Amino acid sequence: MQIRAKTKIMLERSGLTRFQIKVLEETAKIPKGEVRTYKEIAKAIGSPKAYRAVGTSLRKNPFPIKIPCHRVIKSDGRLGKYSGKSGPRKKLLLESEGVKIRQGKVEV
DNA sequence: CAACACAAAGTAG
DNA sequence: CTACTTTGTGTTG
């Protein structure tokens, strides 16, 4: 699912930064059944070291409807804090999309 | 300025 | 292997 020009304008208008827009676009481009690491996202938007900023941005997730943040994981295959303690949501979501989990890690 | 849904390399166990 | 520390980046409070 790709973000449309209209949506982008909407994002900018929502008070997001350029960095955010790119993060959201990249995240929205992740195909079903696949995952992308924070690092890959950061690299894709031009700041390979801003992986942390990516996480911060997704955490604030302006559009949870359009942005499947559960497809964004850590570089070593772990899910990250999205799963947290409130229950295995990220894991279940990913598994439902065809991503296999191996002992807390995404299948490599 | 401090914290954060991170990464990588170093040290310690 | 896990856990903790430091450095780097951008957003949030």
Side-chain angles (χ1 to χ4, degrees), chain A residues 69-80:
Chain A
C69 22
H70 57 274
R71 284 188 195 148
V72 187
I73 59 171
K74 291 189 42 164
S75 300
D76 56 353
R78 296 187 201 177
L79 299 183

Side-chain angles (χ1 to χ4, degrees), chain A residues 21-30 36 40-41 44-45:
Chain A
I21 310 291
K22 295 211 167 206
V23 173
L24 301 182
E25 284 186 85
E26 288 304 314
T27 307
K29 283 177 190 165
I30 304 176
R36 195 82 35 191
E40 288 295 300
I41 301 287
I45 65 183

Side-chain angles (χ1 to χ4, degrees), chain A residues 6 22 36 40 43 46 63 69 96 102:
Chain A
K6 240 184 198 173
K22 295 211 167 206
R36 195 82 35 191
E40 288 295 300
K43 190 176 182 180
F63 296 101
C69 22
S96 301
R102 291 281 181 225

